[in-house]
Amino acid sequence: MQPLPALPASLRRWDIFCKVVDHFGDAGVAWRLARQLTREHDLEVTLWIDQPAALAAMVPGLDSNRTMQRLAGVTVRWRDTCGAGTAPAAVVIDTFGGGLPDDYVHAMAASRSPSQWFVLEYLSAEAWIETAHGRPSPHPSLGLERTFWFPGFTAATGGLLREHDLLLRRDAFLGDADAQAMFWETLHLGPPEPSGRRVSLFCYPHAPIAMLLDQWARGAQRVDCLVPAGTAAAAIHAWLDGARWAPGTPVHRGQLTLHAIPFLTQDRYDALLWACDLNFVRGEDSFVRAQWAGKPLVWQAYPQRESAHEVKLAAFVDRYLRLPGGASDQASYQTTPLRAGLSGSKPAPQHDAPAAIRGLWQAWNDVDGASSVGEAWERWRRFEPAIAAHARSWTHSLIGVPELGAGLVMAVRSKV
Ligand code: TRH
């Protein structure tokens, strides 16, 4: 992708606001966007975040006790220090509707050259976001115009964050046995055995973890499962039943070896996703990064009230499997290669790769009527080669989706 021409100096100062709801994704996405806008579009970005501690493990060198610091070209500041004296930036991004400080909004309203205000929404594969994406919406009382920016998987959405060199770095890593061996060594593992399977596990505590680990332990194939620190700690601890478990001290049960690994920086977590044969991911950002890794994945959606997350799960699985009616954007996908890779042109029978993918994702998300995760795993395993080929094709199909950072820059330019 050709680099975009630089924005005029008057539009180069951007403020990104992040209010951490919980977990890591709000902070993770906001940081990734800030870093990318700085690196690839030569912008002066300040990330105003209320809980910098959420970033600490992901971002090398971040000191969550400092109210202001500069990392990777980004100025990171405590959101609470944004007061009446803060001059609004040319472009303001409110991530996930966390809102802007009142004084800041009033300063925007009083400014002779009002900022461009974007609200970055959560990622969804649902078709309706195509009609909502990019729509202006005036602030109810101040009359300031906000633009709602919906990440998504089609050309009619804000697309996905993807650093310009991400796939090149991934392929270089996957083509370099020494780099992979060194990476595994840092996690106290040797090179993978050809007959084995390496799986990363990043999930919420309510996933059916014990049942999956037991299935792997009694399975036909060796499994090395790598669990980043803090992942479903209580559930894992219960399964360990008192066994000592720490980085470098894995626990062996039958065919399964469970490895404790540190919570990695975002870049090293990418390498884990690239290096593993299968990735269990969750929420939003790890979900996207696992898709860029081009390996099979199992996604646990962030739990929402009234099972709204199940709607998001079904919308993505339909799109991922490209079942008829899964989206209004069929034309924008090369449907033939992917469907042929999974189930050919004949209608999907009940037991084939698409059904195996849907079955394991539904079992992992405890969807009503889903089979047990043990049964679903055994079915998935039988179609693993086709599923792995599809994962690669899916990643390839995503290259045609807008890149989110560049899309924002182009939108800013188009408004002047
Ligand atoms: O941590 P999450 O569950 O965050 C969630 C989701 O973003 C969800 O959409 C949102 O509504 C909720 O927060 C409030 O999952 P997610 O999105 O994958 O974010 C995890 C971040 O942590 C991501 O940026 C990847 C990063 N990460 C590392 O940097 N190193 C690691 O070792 C791991 C496991 C993750």
Side-chain angles (χ1 to χ4, degrees), residues 281-341:
V281 290
R282 74 187 203 191
E284 176 162 333
D285 196 47
S286 61
F287 174 44
V288 172
R289 302 311 280 190
Q291 292 176 64
W292 287 129
K295 296 290 182 70
L297 71 160
V298 179
W299 175 47
Q300 188 182 14
Y302 177 75
Q304 289 179 286
R305 283 193 303 273
E306 288 96 52
S307 301
H309 59 286
E310 289 186 11
V311 173
K312 288 195 173 201
L313 179 77
F316 179 78
V317 171
D318 285 351
R319 192 177 291 284
Y320 189 65
L321 303 178
R322 243 170 324 291
L323 298 187
S328 60
D329 66 315
Q330 291 300 330
S332 67
Y333 277 106
Q334 318 90 342
T335 51
T336 310
L338 301 187
R339 284 185 59 76

Side-chain angles (χ1 to χ4, degrees), residues 350-361 376 379-380 383 387:
Q350 281 319 301
H351 295 296
D352 64 357
I357 291 174
R358 184 186 293 279
L360 182 56
W361 288 39
R379 263 203 302 278
W380 186 94
F383 296 98
I387 293 171

